[in-house]
Amino acid sequence: MQTNQEHDMHSKQDVKSIWSSVLTMLKEEISDVSFQTWFEPVEPLSMSSNTLTLGVQSGIYKNMIMTKYYSLIESALVAVAGETYQIEVVCLDEVSNPKPESAPVAAPGKVFNPKFTFSNFVVGNNNSLARAASLAVSENIGNSIHNPLFLYGGSGLGKTHLLHAIANNAQLFHSNLKVVYITTENLMNDYVNALLALTSDKKSVQKFKDKYRNVDLFLVDDIQFVGGRDGFQEEFFHTFNELYDNGRQIVLTSDRLPGEIPKLEERLRTRFNMGLLADVQPPDFEMRIAILKSKIQSEYFDVDDEILRYIAENIRSNVRDLEGAVKKMLLYSSIQRTNRITLELAEQALKDIFQVTKKKLTVASIIDVVEKYFSWPKGSLVSQRRPKSVSYPRQIAMYLCREVADMSLPDIGRDFGGRNHTTVIHAVNKINEDIRTKPETEKTVAILTENVIKN
Ligand code: ADP
Ligand code: MG
């Protein structure tokens, strides 16, 4: 379990006043629309000795702040507080349903998401094999008997946590290890970009190969999404073989067994089955209590057993939700300025998790907003036969589905007239890039985001 660390937190009041000075400075730097859209809804949550944590409504705000405004905020903070702080943005709706960050490729020696370690991974019957195998792999890179290690099981059961723990631990044992952690989505994305770049850079695909075939530890998350683009499976097959033949360690995660992954080529399935398959199962009651205790302990709160039992009886499916409940309670208690967690407070927090109070956004409702805004007839964005000029609104609509509504890539592709999810990835990247470089796009996205949310 996690060891206590010094936190050195600023008081809520300090954080508020620091943030308001930062805002005053930012206001001078950016346009009114941008300020109102991206900064007015931000809530400063806390500030430790090195990190300022901001709360926002949804992924799109987080995305915008992290990609476009990070350095601006960072320098304003230096001016206000006299020191450099890291900025962390959390989605308030994810507080009840958090997603771990996917750290892309890290240079040798770089720490991965440090929150995910073996020491704070609670072990039980449901995950002991997966954990033991992961630990063994991390200690024996290059000599492991489990290659590839294939971790599978439902969402929110700790697979991504284990991948990061392997990366973190392996780097303690082996200095200068080249480690890549990547989601299948990002890997495909990188591959598609390499293909697209071929026209201007003859070496782009070669660079892709060099990047991924030259690592000691290759951690690929959510491999169930691999079925899509044919060329990608071919490329992945060769990457896999090259790594495997050279004794490099491969770890894959999936929400299902290799045999159940749609469109997975036979030759890849065979390879995924070659090493050890280890599952993670939903936690039983005792395990749920143990997880709650560990999450609460690591946040310095003391909660009655009665309350823990209440939560463990009500949240059964996955660890992510248990963690969400704890975070929500802590958030509520900090709003109420108490560290005493009562049953009433727990009930309040849980009610929030069970009740989907947020309006359910659908692809159709987002398309509707975007079509209206650009004055395209209904159905234009989905149609296969429309002129090229509709592709920009369509990309924006895909971007909103992904970033505001947090929908899955395959779902978005399907509802946009059966398009491939790599098309969606491309659209999201394109708009992200445009937001960074073109003020008009940023403004359009800002307005549409409001329309989508308020619609
Ligand atoms: P998956 O990748 O299987 O969907 P994650 O690894 O993202 O799940 O886990 C979801 C959340 O639950 C993470 O915050 C993770 O730290 C936490 N978690 C999952 N399993 C455990 C465990 N056994 N002990 C502690 N935390 C866990
Ligand atoms: Mg995961």
Side-chain angles (χ1 to χ4, degrees), residues 100 154-161 163 181 183 221-222 224 253 320:
S155 166
L157 296 178
K159 301 182 297 297
T160 298
H161 187 130
L163 282 191
Y181 164 88
T183 61
D221 212 352
D222 290 325
Q224 73 270 14
T253 74
R320 183 174 293 139

Side-chain angles (χ1 to χ4, degrees), residues 112-284:
F112 289 76
N113 193 331
K115 281 193 297 206
F116 300 139
T117 60
F118 283 114
S119 58
N120 64 14
F121 189 82
V122 184
V123 199
N125 293 335
N126 61 319
N127 61 20
S128 58
L129 176 64
R131 181 196 175 267
S134 299
L135 186 62
V137 158
S138 72
E139 291 172 354
N140 295 293
I141 303 294
N143 289 311
S144 141
I145 46 169
H146 311 308
N147 203 13
L149 173 61
F150 190 97
L151 304 171
Y152 70 98
S155 166
L157 296 178
K159 301 182 297 297
T160 298
H161 187 130
L162 284 174
L163 282 191
H164 284 272
I166 292 173
N168 286 325
N169 204 44
Q171 286 176 331
L172 295 180
F173 277 82
H174 313 266
S175 53
N176 288 327
L177 198 68
K178 279 200 204 122
V179 184
V180 165
Y181 164 88
I182 191 155
T183 61
T184 303
E185 193 179 319
N186 284 343
L187 188 62
M188 285 166 82
N189 200 359
D190 212 19
Y191 178 64
V192 171
N193 285 338
L195 290 181
L196 291 172
L198 254 187
T199 43
S200 57
D201 175 6
K202 285 204 186 68
K203 294 207 173 102
S204 63
V205 171
Q206 189 54 45
K207 283 182 193 156
F208 175 91
K209 292 184 202 293
D210 295 344
K211 185 160 150 198
Y212 295 109
R213 293 189 187 185
N214 188 22
V215 300
D216 303 303
L217 174 59
F218 192 43
L219 306 162
V220 184
D221 212 352
D222 290 325
I223 196 70
Q224 73 270 14
F225 293 128
V226 75
R229 205 179 168 108
D230 301 339
F232 177 73
Q233 289 206 38
E234 163 102 32
E235 184 60 39
F236 191 79
F237 178 72
H238 293 301
T239 306
F240 186 103
N241 287 344
E242 176 105 5
L243 292 172
Y244 185 85
D245 292 344
N246 289 310
R248 313 296 175 86
Q249 178 68 45
I250 302 164
V251 187
L252 307 162
T253 74
S254 164
D255 68 354
R256 64 199 81 183
L257 281 162
E260 296 163 357
I261 298 176
K263 296 195 193 152
L264 180 67
E265 290 175 12
E266 178 61 32
R267 54 184 179 168
L268 276 176
R269 180 160 67 240
T270 314
R271 271 163 186 73
F272 293 175
N273 277 318
M274 242 157 35
L276 178 72
L277 304 173
D279 65 335
V280 284
Q281 292 292 331
D284 61 16

Side-chain angles (χ1 to χ4, degrees), residues 414-454:
R414 188 197 57 225
D415 289 357
F416 272 83
R419 287 177 162 84
N420 194 295
H421 72 277
T422 51
T423 311
V424 185
I425 296 178
H426 175 68
V428 173
N429 286 338
K430 166 83 167 43
I431 299 303
N432 258 323
E433 184 54 31
D434 285 359
I435 287 168
R436 265 196 294 275
T437 52
K438 300 181 184 156
E440 327 80 82
T441 305
E442 194 212 333
K443 199 166 153 194
T444 309
V445 170
I447 295 166
L448 283 169
T449 301
E450 281 202 57
N451 292 354
V452 163
I453 292 170
K454 292 188 184 142

